[in-house]
Amino acid sequence: MNVQCEKEKYTGKYILGIESSCDDTGIALICDNEILANVVLKQEHKNGVIPEYAARAHHIALFEHARDIIKDCKIDLIAYTSRPGLIGSLFVGANFAKSLAYMLDVPSIGINHLTGHILLPYWLASSSKQKIEFPYLCLLVSGGHTMIVLVKSLIERTILSSTFDDAVGEVFDKVARNIGLDYPGGPHIEKLASQASGEQRHFPKYHFPFVMRNRLEFSFSGLKTAAIEQIDITANQEEKAQFCHAFQAHIAMLLADKMKRIYSKHTDVAHWVVSGGVAANKTIRQELRKEAEVRNITIHYPPIELCMDNGVMIACVGQLFYQQALDQSVEAMLSHKPSAQMGACVMHFNALFYALLEMYFYA
Ligand code: KG4
Ligand code: ZN
Protein backbone atom coordinates (compact mmCIF):
# COMPACT_ATOMS: atom_id res chain seq x y z
CA MET A 1 0.00 0.00 0.00
CA ASN A 2 1.38 3.36 -0.98
CA VAL A 3 -0.39 6.16 0.81
CA GLN A 4 -0.62 9.52 -0.88
CA CYS A 5 -0.21 12.25 1.69
CA GLU A 6 -2.13 15.14 0.20
CA LYS A 7 -0.72 18.06 2.12
CA GLU A 8 -3.28 20.52 0.72
CA LYS A 9 -6.19 18.33 1.82
CA TYR A 10 -5.01 17.54 5.34
CA THR A 11 -3.71 20.25 7.61
CA GLY A 12 -3.32 18.27 10.81
CA LYS A 13 -0.67 15.96 12.19
CA TYR A 14 0.17 12.71 10.47
CA ILE A 15 0.12 10.02 13.13
CA LEU A 16 1.36 6.48 12.70
CA GLY A 17 -0.24 3.91 15.02
CA ILE A 18 1.39 0.57 15.80
CA GLU A 19 -0.46 -2.17 17.65
CA SER A 20 1.35 -5.37 18.60
CA SER A 21 0.03 -6.42 22.00
CA CYS A 22 -1.08 -9.92 21.09
CA ASP A 23 -1.26 -11.78 17.78
CA ASP A 24 -2.41 -9.21 15.21
CA THR A 25 -0.06 -6.56 13.88
CA GLY A 26 -1.88 -3.29 13.28
CA ILE A 27 -0.32 -0.42 11.38
CA ALA A 28 -2.38 2.68 10.65
CA LEU A 29 -1.93 6.23 9.48
CA ILE A 30 -4.41 8.93 10.42
CA CYS A 31 -4.64 12.67 9.86
CA ASP A 32 -7.41 15.18 10.58
CA ASN A 33 -9.80 12.52 11.87
CA GLU A 34 -9.40 10.56 8.66
CA ILE A 35 -8.02 7.05 8.38
CA LEU A 36 -5.49 7.17 5.54
CA ALA A 37 -4.26 3.61 5.96
CA ASN A 38 -5.24 0.67 8.13
CA VAL A 39 -3.46 -2.63 7.75
CA VAL A 40 -4.06 -5.57 10.10
CA LEU A 41 -1.86 -8.61 9.58
CA LYS A 42 -3.46 -11.67 11.11
CA GLN A 43 -1.25 -14.41 12.42
CA GLU A 44 -2.12 -18.08 12.08
CA HIS A 45 -2.44 -19.64 15.55
CA LYS A 46 -4.44 -22.83 15.36
CA ASN A 47 -5.19 -23.45 19.05
CA GLY A 48 -4.34 -20.17 20.73
CA VAL A 49 -1.52 -17.66 20.61
CA ILE A 50 2.09 -18.89 20.86
CA PRO A 51 3.94 -15.87 22.33
CA GLU A 52 7.36 -16.54 20.79
CA TYR A 53 5.89 -17.06 17.35
CA ALA A 54 3.70 -13.96 17.75
CA ALA A 55 6.70 -11.72 18.56
CA ARG A 56 8.66 -12.93 15.53
CA ALA A 57 5.67 -12.49 13.25
CA HIS A 58 5.19 -8.88 14.45
CA HIS A 59 8.80 -8.17 13.64
CA ILE A 60 8.42 -9.43 10.06
CA ALA A 61 5.05 -7.73 9.53
CA LEU A 62 6.25 -4.34 10.73
CA PHE A 63 9.32 -4.35 8.55
CA GLU A 64 7.37 -5.55 5.52
CA HIS A 65 4.45 -3.15 5.69
CA ALA A 66 5.27 0.03 7.60
CA ARG A 67 7.47 1.33 4.83
CA ASP A 68 4.71 1.41 2.21
CA ILE A 69 2.41 3.24 4.56
CA ILE A 70 4.76 6.04 5.53
CA LYS A 71 6.68 6.27 2.26
CA ASP A 72 5.60 9.69 1.00
CA CYS A 73 4.39 11.14 4.28
CA LYS A 74 6.02 13.36 6.81
CA ILE A 75 5.10 11.62 10.03
CA ASP A 76 4.57 13.91 13.03
CA LEU A 77 4.05 11.37 15.82
CA ILE A 78 4.38 7.63 16.31
CA ALA A 79 1.95 6.03 18.75
CA TYR A 80 2.51 2.43 19.80
CA THR A 81 0.93 0.03 22.27
CA SER A 82 2.97 0.03 25.46
CA ARG A 83 0.81 -2.28 27.62
CA PRO A 84 -0.92 -4.56 28.53
CA GLY A 85 -0.13 -7.59 26.38
CA LEU A 86 2.40 -10.31 25.64
CA ILE A 87 5.80 -8.98 26.66
CA GLY A 88 7.64 -10.17 23.53
CA SER A 89 5.01 -8.75 21.19
CA LEU A 90 4.93 -5.41 23.01
CA PHE A 91 8.70 -5.27 23.02
CA VAL A 92 8.93 -5.69 19.24
CA GLY A 93 6.31 -3.00 18.57
CA ALA A 94 7.77 -0.53 21.07
CA ASN A 95 11.30 -0.98 19.75
CA PHE A 96 10.20 -0.59 16.17
CA ALA A 97 8.21 2.55 17.01
CA LYS A 98 10.95 4.12 19.10
CA SER A 99 13.68 3.31 16.61
CA LEU A 100 11.65 4.72 13.75
CA ALA A 101 10.84 7.82 15.79
CA TYR A 102 14.54 8.26 16.50
CA MET A 103 15.39 7.98 12.83
CA LEU A 104 12.64 10.35 11.70
CA ASP A 105 13.33 12.69 14.61
CA VAL A 106 9.71 12.75 15.75
CA PRO A 107 8.18 12.03 19.17
CA SER A 108 6.76 8.64 20.07
CA ILE A 109 4.11 7.92 22.63
CA GLY A 110 3.21 4.68 24.41
CA ILE A 111 -0.53 4.05 24.50
CA ASN A 112 -2.43 1.71 26.79
CA HIS A 113 -4.19 -0.88 24.62
CA LEU A 114 -7.39 -0.61 26.66
CA THR A 115 -7.43 3.17 26.23
CA GLY A 116 -7.32 2.47 22.50
CA HIS A 117 -10.45 0.28 22.61
CA ILE A 118 -12.21 2.70 24.97
CA LEU A 119 -11.51 5.95 23.06
CA LEU A 120 -11.70 4.71 19.46
CA PRO A 121 -15.53 5.08 19.25
CA TYR A 122 -15.20 8.55 20.85
CA TRP A 123 -12.66 9.58 18.22
CA LEU A 124 -14.73 8.13 15.36
CA ALA A 125 -17.85 9.91 16.59
CA SER A 126 -16.05 13.24 17.02
CA SER A 127 -16.10 13.79 13.25
CA SER A 128 -19.71 12.64 12.84
CA LYS A 129 -23.04 14.21 13.74
CA GLN A 130 -23.54 11.87 16.70
CA LYS A 131 -20.76 12.91 19.05
CA ILE A 132 -20.13 11.05 22.30
CA GLU A 133 -20.19 13.15 25.44
CA PHE A 134 -18.35 12.46 28.69
CA PRO A 135 -19.12 10.75 30.95
CA TYR A 136 -20.04 7.58 29.08
CA LEU A 137 -20.22 3.91 29.97
CA CYS A 138 -17.94 1.62 27.99
CA LEU A 139 -18.43 -2.13 27.92
CA LEU A 140 -15.04 -3.45 26.87
CA VAL A 141 -15.24 -7.04 25.75
CA SER A 142 -12.16 -8.62 24.23
CA GLY A 143 -10.01 -11.73 24.36
CA GLY A 144 -8.06 -10.43 27.35
CA HIS A 145 -10.54 -8.16 29.17
CA THR A 146 -14.14 -7.83 30.20
CA MET A 147 -15.06 -4.68 32.06
CA ILE A 148 -17.49 -1.81 32.31
CA VAL A 149 -15.74 1.53 32.59
CA LEU A 150 -17.07 4.98 33.44
CA VAL A 151 -15.14 7.23 31.06
CA LYS A 152 -15.09 10.73 32.55
CA SER A 153 -12.59 12.43 30.24
CA LEU A 154 -9.75 11.52 27.91
CA ILE A 155 -7.57 10.63 30.86
CA GLU A 156 -9.96 9.96 33.74
CA ARG A 157 -11.88 6.72 34.05
CA THR A 158 -13.13 4.33 36.71
CA ILE A 159 -13.55 0.59 36.30
CA LEU A 160 -17.01 -0.20 37.67
CA SER A 161 -17.06 -3.90 36.93
CA SER A 162 -14.61 -6.49 35.67
CA THR A 163 -14.24 -10.24 35.49
CA PHE A 164 -13.05 -12.39 38.39
CA ASP A 165 -11.54 -14.94 36.01
CA ASP A 166 -11.75 -15.40 32.22
CA ALA A 167 -12.47 -12.70 29.69
CA VAL A 168 -15.54 -13.22 27.54
CA GLY A 169 -13.53 -13.49 24.29
CA GLU A 170 -11.40 -16.18 25.88
CA VAL A 171 -14.57 -18.17 26.64
CA PHE A 172 -15.65 -17.86 23.00
CA ASP A 173 -12.20 -19.11 21.98
CA LYS A 174 -12.08 -22.10 24.37
CA VAL A 175 -15.65 -23.16 23.70
CA ALA A 176 -15.00 -22.92 19.95
CA ARG A 177 -11.88 -25.05 20.26
CA ASN A 178 -13.87 -27.70 22.13
CA ILE A 179 -16.15 -28.18 19.12
CA GLY A 180 -13.35 -28.10 16.59
CA LEU A 181 -13.53 -24.47 15.44
CA ASP A 182 -10.40 -22.44 14.70
CA TYR A 183 -8.91 -19.57 16.69
CA PRO A 184 -10.16 -16.88 17.22
CA GLY A 185 -13.37 -18.69 18.04
CA GLY A 186 -15.84 -15.78 18.30
CA PRO A 187 -16.42 -15.19 14.57
CA HIS A 188 -16.71 -18.96 13.94
CA ILE A 189 -19.27 -19.39 16.71
CA GLU A 190 -21.27 -16.47 15.32
CA LYS A 191 -21.22 -17.94 11.83
CA LEU A 192 -22.27 -21.40 12.98
CA ALA A 193 -24.99 -19.92 15.23
CA SER A 194 -26.57 -18.28 12.18
CA GLN A 195 -27.13 -21.78 10.72
CA ALA A 196 -29.43 -22.87 13.58
CA SER A 197 -32.98 -23.54 12.36
CA GLY A 198 -36.01 -21.59 13.61
CA GLU A 199 -37.19 -24.36 15.89
CA GLN A 200 -33.74 -24.87 17.35
CA ARG A 201 -33.67 -21.17 18.18
CA HIS A 202 -36.98 -21.22 20.00
CA PHE A 203 -36.55 -24.48 21.89
CA PRO A 204 -32.83 -24.75 22.58
CA LYS A 205 -31.66 -28.00 24.09
CA TYR A 206 -28.57 -26.36 25.61
CA HIS A 207 -28.71 -24.32 28.80
CA PHE A 208 -26.10 -22.29 30.65
CA PRO A 209 -25.75 -21.03 34.22
CA PHE A 210 -26.32 -17.38 35.04
CA VAL A 211 -23.21 -16.95 37.18
CA MET A 212 -23.09 -14.04 39.69
CA ARG A 213 -26.67 -13.12 38.89
CA ASN A 214 -27.01 -10.51 41.61
CA ARG A 215 -23.59 -8.92 41.37
CA LEU A 216 -22.04 -6.22 39.24
CA GLU A 217 -18.93 -8.25 38.39
CA PHE A 218 -18.50 -10.90 35.73
CA SER A 219 -17.33 -14.48 36.05
CA PHE A 220 -17.01 -16.79 33.08
CA SER A 221 -14.99 -19.81 34.17
CA GLY A 222 -18.02 -21.75 35.50
CA LEU A 223 -19.97 -20.94 32.38
CA LYS A 224 -17.05 -22.06 30.24
CA THR A 225 -16.89 -25.43 32.03
CA ALA A 226 -20.67 -25.86 31.80
CA ALA A 227 -20.55 -25.13 28.06
CA ILE A 228 -17.64 -27.47 27.41
CA GLU A 229 -19.33 -30.29 29.32
CA GLN A 230 -22.48 -30.18 27.19
CA ILE A 231 -20.99 -30.86 23.80
CA ASP A 232 -17.78 -31.97 22.13
CA ILE A 233 -16.12 -32.20 18.77
CA THR A 234 -18.03 -35.37 17.78
CA ALA A 235 -21.43 -33.61 17.71
CA ASN A 236 -22.97 -33.16 14.28
CA GLN A 237 -23.16 -29.80 12.51
CA GLU A 238 -26.81 -29.22 13.42
CA GLU A 239 -26.17 -29.81 17.11
CA LYS A 240 -23.16 -27.55 17.02
CA ALA A 241 -25.16 -24.78 15.32
CA GLN A 242 -27.90 -25.05 17.95
CA PHE A 243 -25.32 -25.02 20.72
CA CYS A 244 -23.57 -21.93 19.28
CA HIS A 245 -26.86 -20.10 18.92
CA ALA A 246 -27.90 -20.77 22.53
CA PHE A 247 -24.41 -19.98 23.87
CA GLN A 248 -24.15 -16.69 22.02
CA ALA A 249 -27.66 -15.62 23.08
CA HIS A 250 -26.80 -16.42 26.71
CA ILE A 251 -23.63 -14.32 26.61
CA ALA A 252 -25.53 -11.43 25.00
CA MET A 253 -28.19 -11.57 27.74
CA LEU A 254 -25.50 -11.71 30.42
CA LEU A 255 -23.58 -8.70 29.11
CA ALA A 256 -26.75 -6.67 28.68
CA ASP A 257 -27.86 -7.54 32.22
CA LYS A 258 -24.59 -6.24 33.75
CA MET A 259 -24.77 -3.09 31.67
CA LYS A 260 -28.34 -2.45 32.90
CA ARG A 261 -27.31 -2.97 36.51
CA ILE A 262 -24.36 -0.61 36.26
CA TYR A 263 -26.40 1.98 34.39
CA SER A 264 -29.05 2.00 37.13
CA LYS A 265 -26.35 3.46 39.39
CA HIS A 266 -25.07 5.96 36.78
CA THR A 267 -28.18 7.29 35.12
CA ASP A 268 -26.44 10.60 34.33
CA VAL A 269 -24.70 9.05 31.30
CA ALA A 270 -26.34 9.53 27.92
CA HIS A 271 -24.06 7.28 25.87
CA TRP A 272 -23.04 3.64 25.92
CA VAL A 273 -20.02 2.41 24.03
CA VAL A 274 -19.31 -1.24 23.30
CA SER A 275 -15.80 -2.03 22.12
CA GLY A 276 -13.19 -4.78 21.79
CA GLY A 277 -13.21 -7.86 19.55
CA VAL A 278 -16.41 -9.36 21.00
CA ALA A 279 -18.28 -6.13 20.12
CA ALA A 280 -18.21 -7.40 16.53
CA ASN A 281 -20.86 -9.97 17.45
CA LYS A 282 -24.20 -8.91 15.95
CA THR A 283 -26.38 -10.70 18.51
CA ILE A 284 -24.54 -8.95 21.33
CA ARG A 285 -24.84 -5.62 19.51
CA GLN A 286 -28.59 -6.09 19.03
CA GLU A 287 -29.24 -7.12 22.64
CA LEU A 288 -27.39 -4.09 23.99
CA ARG A 289 -29.02 -1.76 21.48
CA LYS A 290 -32.44 -2.96 22.63
CA GLU A 291 -31.60 -2.20 26.27
CA ALA A 292 -30.08 1.18 25.40
CA GLU A 293 -33.06 2.27 23.34
CA VAL A 294 -35.64 1.61 26.06
CA ARG A 295 -33.55 3.84 28.31
CA ASN A 296 -33.14 6.58 25.72
CA ILE A 297 -29.40 6.00 25.60
CA THR A 298 -27.38 6.43 22.43
CA ILE A 299 -25.26 3.37 21.81
CA HIS A 300 -22.05 3.37 19.79
CA TYR A 301 -19.90 0.59 18.37
CA PRO A 302 -16.84 0.78 16.19
CA PRO A 303 -17.46 -0.57 12.68
CA ILE A 304 -16.95 -4.37 12.67
CA GLU A 305 -13.51 -4.12 11.04
CA LEU A 306 -12.26 -1.86 13.86
CA CYS A 307 -13.55 -4.00 16.75
CA MET A 308 -10.60 -6.38 16.77
CA ASP A 309 -7.12 -5.04 17.50
CA ASN A 310 -5.85 -2.49 14.97
CA GLY A 311 -3.45 0.43 14.61
CA VAL A 312 -6.19 3.07 14.24
CA MET A 313 -7.22 2.69 17.89
CA ILE A 314 -3.63 3.44 18.95
CA ALA A 315 -3.07 6.27 16.47
CA CYS A 316 -6.32 7.99 17.45
CA VAL A 317 -5.41 8.09 21.15
CA GLY A 318 -2.04 9.54 20.09
CA GLN A 319 -3.93 12.22 18.19
CA LEU A 320 -6.38 12.94 21.02
CA PHE A 321 -3.55 13.34 23.51
CA TYR A 322 -1.58 15.48 21.11
CA GLN A 323 -4.55 17.63 20.16
CA GLN A 324 -5.55 18.29 23.70
CA ALA A 325 -1.96 19.26 24.42
CA LEU A 326 -1.81 16.90 27.36
CA ASP A 327 1.90 17.49 27.51
CA GLN A 328 2.28 16.02 30.91
CA SER A 329 1.02 12.61 29.86
CA VAL A 330 3.10 12.65 26.71
CA GLU A 331 6.18 13.65 28.64
CA ALA A 332 5.61 11.02 31.32
CA MET A 333 5.36 8.29 28.71
CA LEU A 334 8.33 9.50 26.72
CA SER A 335 10.59 9.67 29.73
CA HIS A 336 9.94 6.10 30.84
CA LYS A 337 13.28 4.66 31.97
CA PRO A 338 13.94 0.93 32.02
CA SER A 339 15.88 -0.68 34.89
CA ALA A 340 19.66 -1.17 34.47
CA GLN A 341 19.36 -4.84 33.48
CA MET A 342 16.45 -4.16 31.19
CA GLY A 343 18.33 -1.12 29.87
CA ALA A 344 21.26 -3.25 28.68
CA CYS A 345 18.87 -5.60 26.94
CA VAL A 346 17.00 -2.70 25.32
CA MET A 347 20.29 -1.22 24.08
CA HIS A 348 21.27 -4.44 22.33
CA PHE A 349 17.87 -4.84 20.87
CA ASN A 350 17.74 -1.23 19.75
CA ALA A 351 21.17 -1.43 18.15
CA LEU A 352 19.91 -4.27 16.03
CA PHE A 353 16.75 -2.42 15.17
CA TYR A 354 18.52 0.80 14.26
CA ALA A 355 20.82 -1.11 11.94
CA LEU A 356 17.93 -2.93 10.32
CA LEU A 357 15.83 0.18 10.01
CA GLU A 358 18.68 2.11 8.42
CA MET A 359 19.28 -0.65 5.91
CA TYR A 360 15.60 -0.85 5.22
CA PHE A 361 14.76 2.81 4.82
CA TYR A 362 17.91 3.98 3.09
CA ALA A 363 18.34 0.98 0.81
O1 KG4 B 1 -9.94 -6.95 20.99
P1 KG4 B 1 -9.36 -8.20 20.44
O2 KG4 B 1 -8.99 -8.23 18.99
O3 KG4 B 1 -8.08 -8.66 21.22
C1 KG4 B 1 -7.87 -8.44 22.59
O4 KG4 B 1 -7.60 -7.29 22.97
O5 KG4 B 1 -8.05 -9.44 23.32
O6 KG4 B 1 -10.43 -9.36 20.74
C2 KG4 B 1 -10.24 -10.67 20.31
C3 KG4 B 1 -11.39 -11.51 20.83
C4 KG4 B 1 -11.20 -13.00 20.55
O7 KG4 B 1 -11.40 -13.70 21.75
C5 KG4 B 1 -12.30 -13.30 19.53
O8 KG4 B 1 -12.80 -14.63 19.64
C6 KG4 B 1 -13.35 -12.28 19.88
O9 KG4 B 1 -12.61 -11.12 20.19
N1 KG4 B 1 -14.27 -12.02 18.76
C7 KG4 B 1 -15.57 -12.32 18.77
C8 KG4 B 1 -16.07 -11.97 17.49
N2 KG4 B 1 -15.04 -11.46 16.75
C9 KG4 B 1 -13.95 -11.50 17.56
N3 KG4 B 1 -16.35 -12.86 19.73
C10 KG4 B 1 -17.64 -13.05 19.43
N4 KG4 B 1 -18.21 -12.77 18.21
C11 KG4 B 1 -17.45 -12.23 17.23
N5 KG4 B 1 -18.00 -11.96 16.05
ZN1 ZN C 1 -7.74 -5.67 22.13
Side-chain angles (χ1 to χ4, degrees):
M1 182 191 294
N2 198 346
V3 180
Q4 297 295 317
C5 292
E6 300 168 49
K7 288 284 173 201
E8 313 80 51
K9 190 165 164 204
Y10 304 109
T11 51
K13 303 280 180 202
Y14 284 82
I15 298 170
L16 182 71
I18 292 176
E19 152 61 30
S20 70
S21 63
C22 191
D23 55 335
D24 295 338
T25 315
I27 315 169
L29 182 67
I30 63 167
C31 186
D32 283 347
N33 275 66
E34 294 241 16
I35 301 169
L36 306 185
N38 177 28
V39 175
V40 178
L41 298 132
K42 303 252 172 222
Q43 300 179 5
E44 293 284 320
H45 294 267
K46 199 106 186 84
N47 289 320
V49 181
I50 303 162
E52 173 63 22
Y53 172 77
R56 284 165 192 259
H58 283 306
H59 179 107
I60 295 165
L62 287 169
F63 271 95
E64 275 185 3
H65 296 273
R67 182 187 180 140
D68 283 348
I69 291 175
I70 64 169
K71 210 167 165 210
D72 296 318
C73 302
K74 198 199 154 299
I75 301 294
D76 294 291
L77 175 72
I78 301 178
Y80 63 92
T81 305
S82 57
R83 69 195 160 96
L86 300 172
I87 189 70
S89 295
L90 289 170
F91 206 57
V92 170
N95 269 284
F96 184 88
K98 284 179 178 246
S99 308
L100 188 57
Y102 175 85
M103 278 176 55
L104 301 176
D105 197 20
V106 297
S108 65
I109 177 170
I111 303 292
N112 183 309
H113 180 84
L114 305 184
T115 311
H117 279 306
I118 290 169
L119 290 180
L120 172 71
Y122 173 87
W123 179 78
L124 290 168
S126 65
S127 55
S128 77
K129 276 194 208 125
Q130 238 182 18
K131 301 207 181 346
I132 301 177
E133 284 144 34
F134 295 119
Y136 63 85
L137 279 182
C138 176
L139 170 65
L140 169 54
V141 273
S142 71
H145 297 89
T146 302
M147 52 176 73
I148 299 175
V149 184
L150 180 65
V151 187
K152 298 175 207 161
S153 73
L154 287 183
I155 52 167
E156 280 175 295
R157 57 178 186 247
T158 307
I159 297 175
L160 302 173
S161 166
S162 59
T163 173
F164 279 126
D165 37 60
D166 297 339
V168 64
E170 197 181 335
V171 179
F172 269 100
D173 297 336
K174 297 277 162 57
V175 167
R177 184 167 75 183
N178 186 55
I179 54 170
L181 301 175
D182 282 344
Y183 175 87
H188 297 290
I189 289 194
E190 181 169 22
K191 193 164 170 221
L192 200 49
S194 69
Q195 292 167 18
S197 69
E199 196 179 335
Q200 288 175 333
R201 289 173 188 215
H202 285 107
F203 307 104
K205 101 177 187 213
Y206 301 98
H207 300 278
F208 305 94
F210 193 161
V211 188
M212 314 256 282
R213 187 188 283 266
N214 297 315
R215 299 193 56 156
L216 299 178
E217 296 87 355
F218 300 89
S219 169
F220 291 104
S221 70
L223 167 60
K224 180 179 72 183
T225 310
I228 287 174
E229 277 176 353
Q230 291 187 57
I231 191 167
D232 66 22
I233 199 161
T234 58
N236 66 37
Q237 201 69 357
E238 254 180 48
E239 284 171 335
K240 286 182 184 173
Q242 186 176 13
F243 168 82
C244 288
H245 189 268
F247 173 74
Q248 181 181 263
H250 184 77
I251 297 267
M253 178 280 293
L254 229 151
L255 295 176
D257 178 76
K258 295 291 178 207
M259 201 64 175
K260 282 189 296 194
R261 276 173 199 276
I262 296 273
Y263 172 72
S264 68
K265 298 184 186 311
H266 296 274
T267 45
D268 54 325
V269 306
H271 299 264
W272 287 2
V273 161
V274 188
S275 67
V278 181
N281 186 288
K282 292 185 200 72
T283 304
I284 292 173
R285 287 164 98 102
Q286 270 162 19
E287 189 69 26
L288 282 151
R289 180 176 297 283
K290 206 173 69 194
E291 296 299 340
E293 277 172 4
V294 291
R295 287 166 182 78
N296 231 354
I297 301 280
T298 318
I299 190 157
H300 308 257
Y301 312 94
I304 304 271
E305 67 280 7
L306 292 180
C307 284
M308 299 263 282
D309 295 346
N310 60 80
V312 178
M313 65 192 237
I314 303 304
C316 79
V317 179
Q319 187 184 78
L320 288 168
F321 283 10
Y322 216 67
Q323 263 172 5
Q324 300 285 317
L326 295 175
D327 288 347
Q328 254 188 330
S329 317
V330 175
E331 200 45 52
M333 286 178 215
L334 286 173
S335 61
H336 168 73
K337 295 236 173 34
S339 69
Q341 205 184 12
M342 179 90 160
C345 184
V346 169
M347 271 171 60
H348 281 107
F349 215 68
N350 272 344
L352 177 68
F353 261 94
Y354 291 146
L356 284 169
L357 278 167
E358 268 184 29
M359 274 162 56
Y360 187 80
F361 283 99
Y362 297 116

